[in-house]
Amino acid sequence: HRDLHSFPTRRSSDLIAAVETLRRLEDEKRSPNSVERESLNRYTGWGGLPQAFNLQQSDTAWAARAAPLKALLTAGEWQSAFDSTPNAHYTSLEVVRAIWAAVKRLGFNGGRVIEPAAGVGYFLGAMPSAMAQRSEITAVEMDDISSRILDKLYGDKATIQHSAFEALPLPEEFFDLAISNVPFGNYPVTELRNVAYAKFLVHDYFFARSLSLLRPGGLLAFV
């Protein structure tokens, strides 16, 4: 019970450490070493942790974390992180590996790949190396910090797009594979184009738009 109770605060400490690591790498204009990569990989997003952004709360433990976090982040970073709290969730490595294994069994061995909600790149990191070498990967991430971590970890292996999925121009019927754990929620995205799925809820939108980006016979593998 004590471990379960302390998990959110341990997770917030890992998130803050990852941001500090990112800051250092950007200031020094270099790639991460193995220890720093491990720290960056612990950035699992702020989904389910809105208390980390509440400076007026009665929980003293969280209040003690909220103030340093506010001081650490720029105004834009703080807002972007806060906006991600409804749906930025960790995908376990076991699930990611199982999806890649299923994709391989279905016949995909390389091609044009899109990850429309990439986070810090769990799907990219677990992609079988031989498959990755035969692929051109586009990874899309809306959150500011997550996209910068994604670039530090996988910018040499993928084209990283810091953008909302709905705002990014992408070619229709182009990709061979779409793979992701997309955001789920009871709200729509801000799609300005006149497309049939413009008013879909966010999870349905990610499915529908990703299908439109796949070539005939392409493969979609989403959680």
Side-chain angles (χ1 to χ4, degrees):
H1 175 72
R2 287 193 300 272
D3 288 344
L4 288 174
H5 180 72
S6 63
F7 174 72
T9 53
R10 291 203 312 272
R11 182 176 157 218
S12 72
S13 297
D14 285 343
L15 295 172
I16 290 170
V19 174
E20 291 171 341
T21 298
L22 175 65
R23 284 266 195 277
R24 183 168 62 253
L25 293 170
E26 291 179 335
D27 289 344
E28 297 174 5
K29 297 180 173 58
R30 63 178 177 85
S31 300
N33 59 35
S34 58
V35 174
E36 290 164 337
R37 288 186 73 89
E38 184 176 346
S39 174
L40 294 178
N41 270 310
R42 289 200 184 105
Y43 191 84
T44 55
W46 295 96
L49 295 178
Q51 60 269 52
F53 300 87
N54 184 355
L55 299 174
Q56 308 299 325
Q57 61 191 299
S58 58
D59 187 321
T60 55
W62 276 108
R65 283 171 166 77
L69 179 63
K70 181 78 170 177
L72 176 65
L73 303 180
T74 66
E77 291 169 346
W78 190 93
Q79 188 63 53
S80 180
F82 175 71
D83 290 344
S84 76
T85 56
N87 53 38
H89 293 290
Y90 167 76
T91 310
S92 72
L93 187 56
E94 292 83 358
V95 170
V96 175
R97 285 174 173 163
I99 292 175
W100 278 120
V103 164
K104 186 174 181 179
R105 285 199 303 273
L106 290 168
F108 180 81
N109 290 304
R112 295 167 175 161
V113 179
I114 184 162
E115 217 291 29
V120 299
Y122 290 155
F123 276 92
L124 275 62
M127 188 177 187
S129 58
M131 190 185 293
Q133 290 170 8
R134 294 190 291 266
S135 295
E136 297 176 6
I137 305 166
T138 300
V140 185
E141 175 52 40
M142 179 174 67
D143 177 65
D144 182 29
I145 292 173
S146 295
S147 69
R148 284 154 55 197
I149 292 176
L150 179 68
D151 187 59
K152 284 295 182 185
L153 290 172
Y154 302 110
D156 59 338
K157 298 179 180 179
T159 299
I160 309 301
Q161 298 284 0
H162 175 206
S163 173
F165 185 40
E166 63 272 17
L168 182 65
L170 290 164
E172 301 279 311
E173 298 187 357
F174 176 79
F175 293 94
D176 302 295
L177 171 69
I179 188 166
S180 191
N181 183 3
V182 303
F184 281 72
N186 291 318
Y187 57 90
V189 302
T190 307
E191 172 58 84
L192 301 179
R193 298 175 303 151
N194 183 22
V195 291
Y197 46 85
K199 298 185 183 302
F200 282 12
L201 295 179
V202 60
H203 45 279
D204 295 328
Y205 177 90
F206 269 75
F207 274 76
R209 188 181 187 204
S210 297
L211 285 169
S212 78
L213 300 177
L214 291 175
R215 63 167 176 79
L219 183 63
L220 183 142
F222 284 178
V223 176

